[in-house]
Amino acid sequence: MVRWEPGARERLQAAALELFATRGFEQTTTAEIAQAVGLTERTFFRHFSDKREVLFIGQDLFLQAFLDGVDAAPPDAAPLEIVASALESAASFFPDDRRAYARTRQSVIDKNPALQERETHKLAGLATTVAQALRSRGVTEPAASLAAESGATVFGIAFAQWIREGEDGSLAAITAAVLHELKNLTRPGAASPR
Amino acid sequence: MVRWEPGARERLQAAALELFATRGFEQTTTAEIAQAVGLTERTFFRHFSDKREVLFIGQDLFLQAFLDGVDAAPPDAAPLEIVASALESAASFFPDDRRAYARTRQSVIDKNPALQERETHKLAGLATTVAQALRSRGVTEPAASLAAESGATVFGIAFAQWIREGEDGSLAAITAAVLHELKNLTRPGAASPR
């Protein structure tokens, strides 16, 4: 019999992250995660295939947010305008109330090479998928790959800034500022200190 | 007694690549590589620390070519002009007579996830090192990271094009064309088929 556990997934996710952060990812078992919120290990496995998945669940939705942004761009938009639309959509996926979670999650990943690798792999997959979406819109190569890779780079830099200790700007604002910097890389004098 | 073997390193490298390509990387032993060119396994280990190193040797020189290009840019150059100078220098590291070797090397790497991972890791390290060089020149963040990542992206796309079957343009010419496309990503209408 499968019982419905209200908010079980969210509670398991929060407990897992706390255990990963305090005790270490490798040192935490799925049984301990379940126990921490008064659930069984079996319930854990109804929600996640393994403890690693706790950290990566939702990435399909994130990718979809990116692709929705590609679709939302006007038909005659330049490649980088399409990417701007994708970034705006992706940024809205991370409102400020997710910042604390994102920060802790990153600290867990930074300590574990295998998790870092999976994260890098996921980001590379993002660029590949967005490049494909751009080509479907008629953007030719190498512009499609360049624009998609640039979008992933901008997002990565903006996200790292967003979760930095003391930062309180929204991800949307930071992403827009980083994209603006990208457009200004050709500006002579950008090399002089601000 | 260490005998000097004229061209031993080059002969070992050529033999190794041929064996990797025909027989598979995992299936090839260092003894077989040495034997293929009439040398001992001991001689192999005087030149390479392991068989994987055969594929990655010379990458420090490549990175240095990138950094020399950064240094060669005029003091008031915009970040992307500095990257253009770095790309030009890096491209000169791969004259056309290295194309066949590069093509075979890539086919070996494409078949082996562990080698792919090392390649990706090396390219990520390239971007990090170039960003550092840009900051040393006074380029501020996030411009330094954006420019360095863009340079790595341009190089990766250009290099893949350079080793594509049937391609006969020089790496320098292809790199310049891809960089030009990067600058044009903001151009409305770039999305229309050529």
Side-chain angles (χ1 to χ4, degrees):
Chain A
M1 196 186 76
V2 172
R3 284 191 307 146
W4 180 68
E5 299 282 356
R9 186 174 124 159
E10 291 69 21
R11 285 159 58 210
L12 285 164
Q13 199 170 14
L17 193 69
E18 168 139 13
L19 286 168
F20 294 162
T22 52
R23 204 177 287 187
F25 176 77
E26 292 296 349
Q27 287 72 42
T28 302
T29 67
T30 50
E32 286 166 343
I33 296 167
Q35 202 177 13
V37 287
L39 296 170
T40 63
E41 202 175 358
R42 225 178 118 187
T43 305
F44 178 92
F45 286 114
R46 279 212 299 278
H47 293 279
F48 305 100
S49 61
D50 57 34
K51 66 175 174 174
R52 202 173 63 161
E53 204 197 337
V54 176
L55 295 168
F56 294 97
I57 210 160
Q59 293 214 334
D60 291 347
L61 293 173
F62 166 60
L63 182 55
Q64 193 53 52
F66 242 98
L67 295 177
D68 288 347
V70 170
D71 288 345
D76 60 344
L80 214 55
E81 289 175 51
I82 305 173
V83 165
S85 173
L87 286 168
E88 204 181 321
S89 174
S92 70
F93 192 73
F94 292 98
D96 278 349
D97 61 11
R98 289 190 64 183
R99 180 160 13 206
Y101 180 88
R103 199 175 268 158
T104 309
R105 176 184 176 278
Q106 196 63 47
S107 75
V108 170
I109 288 178
D110 287 347
K111 282 187 201 113
N112 186 306
L115 296 175
Q116 282 167 38
E117 216 166 85
R118 176 144 186 201
E119 182 87 332
T120 306
H121 185 73
K122 287 259 176 183
L123 280 179
L126 168 71
T128 305
T129 307
V130 171
Q132 177 57 49
L134 290 172
R135 285 193 296 272
S136 301
R137 284 183 60 118
V139 180
T140 51
E141 285 297 349
S145 291
L146 282 167
E149 295 281 351
S150 298
T153 297
V154 166
F155 189 84
I157 290 173
F159 193 85
Q161 178 61 40
W162 182 61
I163 61 175
R164 199 158 294 165
E165 218 50 63
E167 174 65 50
D168 60 6
S170 72
L171 181 56
I174 297 168
T175 304
V178 174
L179 185 63
H180 183 75
E181 287 273 346
L182 179 71
K183 290 177 189 162
N184 276 342
L185 286 181
T186 53
R187 195 189 55 193
S192 55
R194 285 180 291 198
Chain B
M1 196 188 75
V2 173
R3 284 192 307 146
W4 180 68
E5 298 283 356
R9 187 174 125 160
E10 291 70 21
R11 285 158 58 209
L12 285 164
Q13 199 170 15
L17 192 69
E18 168 139 14
L19 286 167
F20 294 163
T22 52
R23 205 177 285 188
F25 175 78
E26 292 296 347
Q27 286 71 42
T28 302
T29 67
T30 50
E32 286 166 343
I33 296 166
Q35 203 177 12
V37 287
L39 296 170
T40 62
E41 201 175 359
R42 225 178 119 187
T43 304
F44 178 92
F45 286 114
R46 278 212 300 277
H47 293 279
F48 305 99
S49 61
D50 57 33
K51 66 176 174 174
R52 201 173 63 161
E53 204 197 335
V54 176
L55 295 168
F56 293 97
I57 210 159
Q59 292 213 333
D60 291 347
L61 294 174
F62 167 60
L63 182 55
Q64 194 52 53
F66 242 99
L67 295 176
D68 289 347
V70 170
D71 288 345
D76 61 345
L80 215 55
E81 288 174 53
I82 305 173
V83 165
S85 173
L87 286 168
E88 203 180 320
S89 174
S92 71
F93 192 72
F94 293 98
D96 279 349
D97 61 11
R98 289 189 64 182
R99 182 166 2 213
Y101 180 88
R103 197 175 270 158
T104 309
R105 176 184 175 278
Q106 196 62 49
S107 74
V108 170
I109 289 177
D110 287 348
K111 281 186 202 117
N112 187 306
L115 296 175
Q116 282 168 35
E117 216 167 86
R118 175 142 188 203
E119 182 88 331
T120 307
H121 186 72
K122 286 258 175 182
L123 281 179
L126 168 71
T128 305
T129 306
V130 171
Q132 177 57 49
L134 291 172
R135 285 193 296 272
S136 300
R137 284 184 59 119
V139 180
T140 51
E141 285 295 348
S145 290
L146 282 168
E149 294 281 352
S150 299
T153 298
V154 166
F155 189 83
I157 290 174
F159 193 84
Q161 177 61 40
W162 182 61
I163 59 176
R164 198 158 294 162
E165 218 50 63
E167 174 64 50
D168 60 6
S170 72
L171 181 56
I174 297 169
T175 303
V178 174
L179 185 62
H180 183 76
E181 287 274 346
L182 178 70
K183 291 177 189 163
N184 277 342
L185 287 181
T186 52
R187 196 188 55 193
S192 56
R194 285 180 290 198

